[in-house]
Amino acid sequence: NTKKAEPFYRLSVPKQKTSSEIINEARNALRTLRTRRPFTPTEHQRKLFGSGSSWAPQNRPPSVFSLHASSFDLAESRPVSSVRLSPLDQKPILVTFAKDEDSSFSLPKPSADAAEVRKVSSARALLYRRTSQGNFLSAKMTPPDQNEKKLDSKEPAMMSNLCRSNNCLAKQRSYTSFNDESRQLICSERIGRLEREDFLKETSGNFLFQLREEGLVLCRETSTGWRNGLTGTSYSLTKVSAKSCTWEETEIFWHIKILPILHELEEEDNTDNLCLACTKLYQVLNEGNMLGKRFKRRSVLLKTLYKLVDVGSDPLCLKLAKIILAMKVDGKNLLAVCKLAFKICRNEKNDCIIQNDRLLDCLLEVLRTEDLQKNNEAVLYCMGAIKLMSGNAVLLNEMVNKGAIEMLLQLMKQINNIKENDTYFSNLGHLLVQLTATLRNLAKFPPARCQLLGSGAASELCVALEQHMNDRDVCIYIIRIFSKLSSYDDFCVALADCSRCYILFLALLNKHQKQQDLVIRIVFILGNLTEKNNQAREQFFKEKGSVNTLISLFQTYHELDLNAQKCYREREGEDDNHPKHPSEAEDVLIKLIRVLANLSIHPSVGAALAAAHRVVESLVAVLEYKSADDCEELVINAATTINNLSYYKVKSSAVQEKKFHIAEMLLKLLMSNSMDGVVEAVRVFGNLSQDHEICDFIIQKKIYKFIIALLDAKNQDACFSACGVLLNLTVEKNRRALLMEEGGIGKLVDCLQDFGPADWQLACLICKTLWNYSEDITSAASCFGEDTDTLLGLLTSLLGEIL
């Protein structure tokens, strides 16, 4: 056969190749690289801003602060006024029930004297004046008796009306008599006994409050039956709206249900009992629909709760915070209660009680409803508390289930809509640190990752990153989110679709070149984006200054690594501890080289990088000063990238220009104790040996002996790489005898026997090498010697199905 064999990776096939042949030809020639995600240490202390914050403490809101009852403002706790109503012509007279000797009801006669009416009005005025002054809980109060007075059967008219409704006395316990000797006026908080007796003399008689699900009605008995005390008209039990008598219903509920609990809160000293009372108070307020701002007694209630903050018990403060937040406080009080919640969450030991008391619901409600600009500091501490909660796996799961991710992204959109020249921009930067830190914790939770991907988090985070480029704390948290999520292919696709992400990453790299924690994560993200996406490789490469930025970073961290090595050698006699590898500088270099290796997969980008002298010089520099024993991953990455670039046969190839120097560095790698390093060096020789001058170098330096010996390693990848070099060496006739000298034929046959049946590509490569070797043979026995029979048997076996 006079046809000359082709060198390694140039198969003897027709010029028009099929797709599968092209792919097979490039097997193990161009490879992407993977690497570990940068390690993020856990913050041991729970703070608003981490210990590594780039801002001075005085320029950030504090994580530690004093918080007392005085931190709250009672004036801001008053209920919001609703629509004013027109005064009624005849006002209801609210009194206690008198009890006759025969326990029957004695109803008052309407007052005919205008002077008496004025006395009643003045008593009511006194009543309200007393209510608004002082602490009503300081006066001794007797809770209303819970026993109800049953209606006498002698009053058929009233009973007839009452029984028309399903909300009758037996079902609703709605008719309640108030004993003059044991109870005070329903609406009074503080009134003297004498004043009460005078008041009752002027308004003697019995009144009846009917409390129903729909509302409360005040009734008066007349000679013709019961009449409506509000209008003076005859009353029958028809459906009453809840808005009809809300004030009276609230007053009764306040005295019967809430007031005894407030007394207990003022008088109790035991913390556990106070916690139980707070739990009961929340339940009662929720039952009476009194949570929120539309509660008349709200300021009195809140004032009692604020005082309990000084007790200093975290479980109690947690109960208080939940109630205060549910009362929809604002202004100074909202800030104080959010700080209180943050203070509770700072203690990791409180995580258990936080889970049980559902504080998260209240905090998420603050994020959902409060004005971001008006209450930015309160929202900051609220978000800070949620961030601390997100460090707990149980609470993290609860956040995902309650839609926290969507809520946080909506909040981020609001922040992104506020421009840099806005007054609130800087303050919202503090908030954005808490928000992105929370998202970073959520990003490690699988169910949360799906939601982040589906909610368009990538684009919104890119906007925030661009607007807060000068805030390193915001940048590092967003980059940490990207670093985590870019390990997943679907998020890489979403991030790559954000066309400005490459510009942002390059801008950050240029701005923060020596910030290792930021740089290493950005480079890691770029490595993930370019690992499988050919469009991403091209798009990043085309960004202005992209390669120059990578080279500049390489030089910066290369110098840092050299200085670190120098310092180690100087103190080596004093300190026997070997430096930890990879170091911070080495880790950056590893991930930088990985980006270059991944970029080189793209045909046009790879060809351009092969011709970029600064790129090749940087890679060779790694092989010069660093051994595989020092930092294996760094050296192997450099060799892999050189292998990728050596695949491109361009006229101005820097790899070809430095081929002898590269070969010298590869020889050093061949002598290392790293098998992976040895295999990688042989791979590079496989490409370089297509050049006859490199083949002469291999023979001159006896490298071929090492490569033949490598066939005995029983390592499939090592055999494949070694066969590639031997194939290229046997192209020239005068080099073929080298195979027989070192027992290469027998070792090739052994490899074919061991790996051929399972790896047809390796089998093909071995057969090509043997074909080159046997080009001018006269007989098989004289060519292959004692291995002839074994080889013929193997070939027959491998071709059996075809034959």
Side-chain angles (χ1 to χ4, degrees), residues 161 203 217 227 266 358 428 489 507 596 632 644 661 695 758:
N161 286 334
T203 58
V217 176
R227 298 177 66 84
E266 275 215 338
R358 306 173 69 89
L428 292 178
D489 294 343
L596 293 172
E632 184 181 46
N644 285 359
H661 186 46
C695 287

Side-chain angles (χ1 to χ4, degrees), residues 210-211 214-218 228 230 240-251:
Q210 182 184 351
L211 180 61
E214 299 89 345
L216 180 144
V217 176
L218 177 64
N228 190 322
L230 296 178
V240 182
S241 170
K243 297 181 181 179
S244 300
C245 298
T246 305
W247 183 80
E248 290 85 349
E249 179 184 18
T250 302
E251 292 303 312

Side-chain angles (χ1 to χ4, degrees), residues 1-5 12 733 736 771-772 774-778:
N1 189 350
T2 59
K3 185 176 179 181
K4 186 176 179 179
S12 302
K733 292 182 181 180
R736 292 171 183 168
W771 171 263
N772 281 356
S774 61
E775 182 180 8
D776 297 323
I777 64 168
T778 55

Side-chain angles (χ1 to χ4, degrees), residues 92-96 124 126-128 130-131 141 178 184-191 199 209 247-252 254-255 296-297:
I93 303 171
L94 306 180
V95 296
T96 59
R124 177 182 288 271
L126 173 63
L127 187 71
Y128 283 106
R130 298 275 183 167
T131 302
M141 295 284 294
F178 293 81
Q184 296 180 325
L185 288 171
I186 289 176
C187 301
S188 70
E189 279 86 11
R190 186 178 184 183
I191 185 168
F199 185 54
F209 284 101
W247 183 80
E248 290 85 349
E249 179 184 18
T250 302
E251 292 303 312
I252 295 177
W254 168 265
H255 281 78
K296 190 173 182 63
R297 308 283 187 175

Side-chain angles (χ1 to χ4, degrees), residues 302-358:
L302 288 172
K303 185 175 181 181
T304 305
L305 299 178
Y306 296 156
K307 288 181 180 180
L308 293 173
V309 173
D310 288 337
V311 174
S313 164
D314 280 358
L316 177 59
C317 285
L318 175 60
K319 305 280 186 183
L320 297 172
K322 183 180 176 182
I323 300 174
I324 295 170
L325 285 170
M327 297 303 292
K328 304 295 183 184
V329 295
D330 54 14
K332 182 180 178 181
N333 292 333
L334 179 61
L335 173 58
V337 73
C338 287
K339 282 186 173 182
L340 183 62
F342 176 79
K343 187 177 180 181
I344 295 166
C345 294
R346 281 202 65 189
N347 189 345
E348 189 174 354
K349 295 178 181 178
N350 291 333
D351 285 356
C352 184
I353 61 173
I354 289 172
Q355 295 169 26
N356 296 333
D357 252 311
R358 306 173 69 89

Side-chain angles (χ1 to χ4, degrees), residues 675-739:
M675 176 55 85
D676 290 337
V678 169
V679 171
E680 201 60 53
V682 175
R683 279 197 183 104
V684 184
F685 272 123
N687 270 350
L688 293 179
S689 60
Q690 295 182 53
D691 187 293
H692 68 90
E693 292 179 333
I694 294 297
C695 287
D696 293 339
F697 177 86
I698 291 172
I699 295 172
Q700 180 187 351
K701 298 291 183 178
K702 308 296 183 182
I703 297 174
Y704 71 92
K705 293 185 177 182
F706 185 88
I707 292 173
I708 292 175
L710 198 61
L711 295 174
D712 285 333
K714 302 303 179 183
N715 181 300
Q716 199 165 341
D717 287 337
C719 288
F720 189 91
S721 300
C723 286
V725 178
L726 295 176
L727 173 62
N728 287 341
L729 288 177
T730 55
V731 169
E732 299 293 335
K733 292 182 181 180
N734 58 347
R735 298 176 185 144
R736 292 171 183 168
L738 298 175
L739 282 179

